[in-house]
Amino acid sequence: MSCWTGAAGVLFASISSAAVAQATDLPAARLAPVVVTATRTEALAFDLPASISRIDGTEVRDANPQFDISESLAGVPGLLVRDRQNHAQDVQLSVRGFGARSTFGIRGVRLYVDGIPATLPDGQGQISHVELGSVGRIEVLRGPFSALYGNSAGGVVQVFTVDPAGPPSYRFDVSAGSDGGLRVGAQAQGETTGGIGYVVGASRFTTDGYRDHSATERTLGNAKLVWKPDADNQLTLVVNNLALPQAQDPLGLSRAAFESAPRSAEQAALDYDTRKQINQTQLGLTYQRRIDASNSLQVMVYGGHRGLEQYQSIPKAAQGGPLSPGGMIELDRDYRGIDLRWSASTRLADRPLNLVAGVSFDSLAERRRGFQNFIGSTLGVRGALRRDENNGASSFDQYLQATSQLSPGWALTAGVRHSRIRFDTRDAYVVGSNPDDSGRAAYQATLPVLGVVHSLSSDVNVYVTAGRGFETPTLNELAYRGDGRSGFNLGLQAARSSSIEAGLKSRSPAWGDFELAAFRTGTDNEIVTQTNLGGRSTFQNAGSTRRTGLEASWVRRYAGDLQARVAATLIEARFVDGFLTCTAAPCANPNLAIAAGNRIPG
């Protein structure tokens, strides 16, 4: 085994030179059929009118140090995932341009872990609680069909824990690299004599960071229990915990500072000791029942708590005004939800018809407090209270999907989802000239999707899909106003998009599996950054945008353990309408013109 170390951590390679030299002499092997659940029923990805990629758990662990999920997703076309080398911000993940504006966490892309939403009802998501040593597979859904997952579904990433099977087994792993990078993990799985399958995993990761002031320590735990009392019933319990007691934030550098000292931290990060602390625990329970040969029912309930403390570098002088929310944030979030789903296999006009219908409700209760990040001349400590409010977000969705074989060689998949999202804030800090900033906002949309697949042969499919989607601002994007006034930015509107995609899929034992997809997405009321200072961003709507792109991927497996994979993405993303933005913060009157035709950042 060879090992390389670098700023990003460790990369392992386990292909010997002999295996490469002999590859041309070995017979080609057809890849196993890729089964996915991205459209809520098990189906072959080859037969669906959508761009779907699946990464097996062995690919997540083999040749990867498992420092974060970005290592495993680099080969997915249309997906841009970056390890920011800053664990106070999480990985940056965007699908076909959706999510590119996120300054921390993940927005515009829906995230699920074992069917439990990792994206809250407001559209804000984090995936830092995934214990990579326990992953069984990852599915990435791109294009119009993502809209069937509701708000902020510019794409969908789903992570599934490995299914327990067989006698008890154990695994231990260690990865080490430069800059003090170290991960130690342990996993156990098997089945008890009572018929309960279990998968338990835990890991601890530490790093000094590539840049100054970027040290991190993180502990993850995940447990999955599966009980099948009989052939028709299954109960699955998933519990996980994330403890991030320290994640230093070096902040962004100017171009000149980066070129002269790329490992340095912004001076304000050192002055204010910018950092983040997170603790998250959640639980999900899924019950599946096969009613008869044609009907089945699934009920999923979940709940969790996420606590966060973040010290920003908002200048001390800027916090003197009566409307300033301070420079230190304390969040306590309790979230919960339920999804009830019915699936049926029947016939219509003597053709097979598969139906999925469901309702879901998700809610978030947030206690947000802001403090000054100084006491006297001491910076980077919790000071006086400057903000105190209780915020809420909830979503109520109904969805229906249908797949039918129209005729030999032709299949139709259609769906519709109606989403209603509510936000409310109750201000408990009404002091002096700081007014009562309580308020509420609501957004709703009906999102249709239609796709058709035509089989040119048993190994070649072509398809066309069209749909509509929408994305509300998140609580964090609503939390601050660009003009510096207190309270929520309730003037932000939801972005609404229309997408169309055409693609080709082919498979061959001799040539491998090939996919090609062309897409175009137009968005109205695009949400963009208005100001960004000291780690705090404000947002505004910016008219229309257009994203046009082409994706291609090719995978071929040779005999043995040698596999070749190529993925390529071409995307052009531009503003259709011009708009005004700000060069400084706070900014009551935007003063910088962004001309139509400019590229979308990120």
Side-chain angles (χ1 to χ4, degrees):
M1 177 177 286
S2 301
C3 170
W4 294 270
T5 64
V10 183
L11 178 65
F12 292 97
S14 56
I15 301 176
S16 68
S17 58
V20 176
Q22 296 173 7
T24 53
D25 300 327
L26 296 173
R30 163 164 275 179
L31 293 171
V34 176
V35 178
V36 296
T37 58
T39 54
R40 295 193 174 86
T41 58
E42 285 194 354
L44 296 178
F46 181 78
D47 295 330
L48 296 173
S51 297
I52 304 174
S53 298
R54 170 174 163 157
I55 302 96
D56 287 326
T58 53
E59 297 178 64
V60 173
R61 288 180 290 275
D62 294 353
N64 285 323
Q66 303 169 62
F67 286 176
D68 68 55
I69 201 170
S70 65
E71 308 155 359
S72 308
L73 300 176
V76 177
L79 175 68
L80 177 64
V81 57
R82 289 195 182 105
D83 178 359
R84 305 188 208 226
Q85 298 296 313
N86 184 342
H87 294 273
Q89 296 181 338
D90 210 341
V91 298
Q92 184 182 41
L93 192 155
S94 64
V95 176
R96 296 183 177 178
F98 289 97
R101 77 174 185 275
S102 179
T103 53
F104 66 91
I106 299 170
R107 304 171 198 174
V109 178
R110 297 290 296 184
L111 309 170
Y112 293 85
V113 180
D114 287 314
I116 302 168
T119 298
L120 297 173
D122 66 336
Q124 177 73 45
Q126 283 87 19
I127 204 163
S128 53
H129 64 294
V130 173
E131 206 292 293
L132 294 173
S134 304
V135 170
R137 72 183 189 279
I138 302 173
E139 295 181 11
V140 181
L141 172 63
R142 310 178 300 282
F145 265 99
S146 303
L148 290 180
Y149 284 85
N151 177 32
S152 298
V156 180
V157 177
Q158 300 197 68
V159 181
F160 298 90
T161 300
V162 66
D163 290 323
S169 61
Y170 310 91
R171 185 178 71 251
F172 301 90
D173 56 270
V174 177
S175 299
S178 58
D179 305 311
L182 176 66
R183 178 188 179 276
V184 180
Q187 294 79 35
Q189 68 164 329
E191 292 181 294
T192 68
T193 55
I196 297 178
Y198 63 89
V199 177
V200 180
S203 64
R204 177 172 171 79
F205 167 72
T206 58
T207 179
D208 297 329
Y210 173 72
R211 296 174 58 193
D212 296 338
H213 196 72
S214 60
T216 296
E217 55 180 288
R218 179 190 69 208
T219 302
L220 291 168
N222 186 71
K224 178 180 179 180
L225 304 177
V226 180
W227 180 43
K228 296 181 180 179
D230 53 51
D232 296 327
N233 295 276
Q234 177 175 308
L235 196 64
T236 304
L237 174 67
V238 178
V239 182
N240 52 58
N241 175 261
L242 161 68
L244 191 75
Q246 174 182 249
Q248 293 179 329
D249 188 351
L251 301 179
L253 295 175
S254 66
R255 167 63 68 176
F258 170 76
E259 290 178 346
S260 63
R263 285 180 175 260
S264 66
E266 175 68 26
Q267 183 59 44
L270 305 178
D271 294 340
Y272 288 91
D273 190 15
T274 50
R275 62 198 186 274
K276 182 182 288 188
Q277 177 180 323
I278 299 173
N279 193 290
Q280 174 178 312
T281 301
Q282 70 178 31
L283 179 149
L285 185 65
T286 302
Y287 172 61
Q288 296 169 288
R289 176 174 174 78
R290 188 176 65 177
I291 300 171
D292 54 37
S294 302
N295 296 274
S296 61
L297 183 70
Q298 176 179 300
V299 182
M300 185 273 293
V301 294
Y302 73 94
H305 174 82
R306 183 179 178 93
L308 176 147
E309 290 186 1
Q310 182 180 11
Y311 287 82
Q312 300 176 308
S313 61
I314 306 300
K316 177 180 177 181
Q319 300 176 55
L323 304 184
S324 170
M328 183 269 179
I329 302 169
E330 181 184 83
L331 292 179
D332 281 293
R333 289 179 159 182
D334 292 302
Y335 55 92
R336 62 195 65 82
I338 182 170
D339 184 282
L340 177 63
R341 183 183 311 166
W342 166 73
S343 303
S345 298
T346 182
R347 300 187 72 83
L348 179 66
D350 203 31
R351 296 290 181 184
L353 175 67
N354 294 320
L355 294 172
V356 177
V359 294
S360 65
F361 177 78
D362 304 274
S363 67
L364 162 67
E366 171 190 275
R367 173 80 181 279
R368 177 185 290 266
R369 296 198 294 171
F371 300 85
Q372 291 178 335
N373 57 4
F374 63 91
I375 298 177
S377 60
T378 303
L379 306 181
V381 295
R382 179 187 301 198
L385 178 69
R386 300 305 303 270
R387 183 173 191 166
D388 189 359
E389 63 198 26
N390 291 289
N391 305 316
S394 64
S395 63
F396 178 56
D397 291 38
Q398 313 88 48
Y399 55 89
L400 175 65
Q401 299 170 214
T403 302
S404 178
Q405 194 75 30
L406 299 177
S407 64
W410 291 88
L412 172 72
T413 301
V416 64
R417 185 180 185 114
H418 180 266
S419 297
R420 182 173 178 82
I421 294 91
R422 296 175 180 268
F423 295 90
D424 67 85
T425 176
R426 297 181 299 280
D427 193 354
Y429 185 79
V430 183
V431 178
S433 60
N434 190 309
D436 185 346
D437 293 307
S438 301
R440 62 182 57 191
Y443 308 87
Q444 64 178 331
T446 300
L447 312 173
V449 177
L450 179 67
V452 177
V453 178
H454 176 51
S455 298
L456 299 178
S457 70
S458 60
D459 290 325
V460 179
N461 281 350
V462 294
Y463 67 90
V464 176
T465 302
R468 303 197 66 186
F470 90 127
E471 178 181 359
T472 69
T474 67
L475 278 173
N476 283 311
E477 290 171 339
L478 291 169
Y480 302 100
R481 300 184 183 185
D483 58 10
R485 289 186 298 164
S486 61
F488 263 37
N489 184 10
L490 296 176
L492 268 179
Q493 301 297 309
R496 300 175 185 271
S497 60
S498 298
S499 300
I500 187 168
E501 174 182 342
L504 178 146
K505 302 179 182 183
S506 70
R507 56 190 180 186
S508 165
W511 298 101
D513 293 356
F514 175 76
E515 295 187 15
L516 180 68
F519 63 89
R520 181 167 182 166
T521 301
T523 302
D524 295 324
N525 289 328
E526 184 81 38
I527 300 172
V528 299
T529 302
Q530 184 180 31
T531 67
N532 192 328
L533 178 68
R536 174 175 295 162
S537 299
T538 66
F539 298 85
Q540 64 176 339
N541 295 107
S544 300
T545 61
R546 182 179 298 122
R547 298 171 174 88
T548 305
L550 189 69
E551 299 169 356
S553 65
W554 170 73
V555 182
R556 186 187 182 195
R557 187 184 301 279
Y558 299 89
D561 294 324
L562 184 61
Q563 176 177 293
R565 180 188 298 271
V566 176
T569 304
L570 174 66
I571 183 170
E572 184 179 70
R574 296 184 181 273
F575 294 105
V576 176
D577 299 326
F579 64 98
L580 294 175
T581 189
C582 298
T583 56
C587 176
N589 297 301
N591 58 351
L592 177 63
I594 306 298
N598 273 12
R599 297 181 185 273
I600 300 175

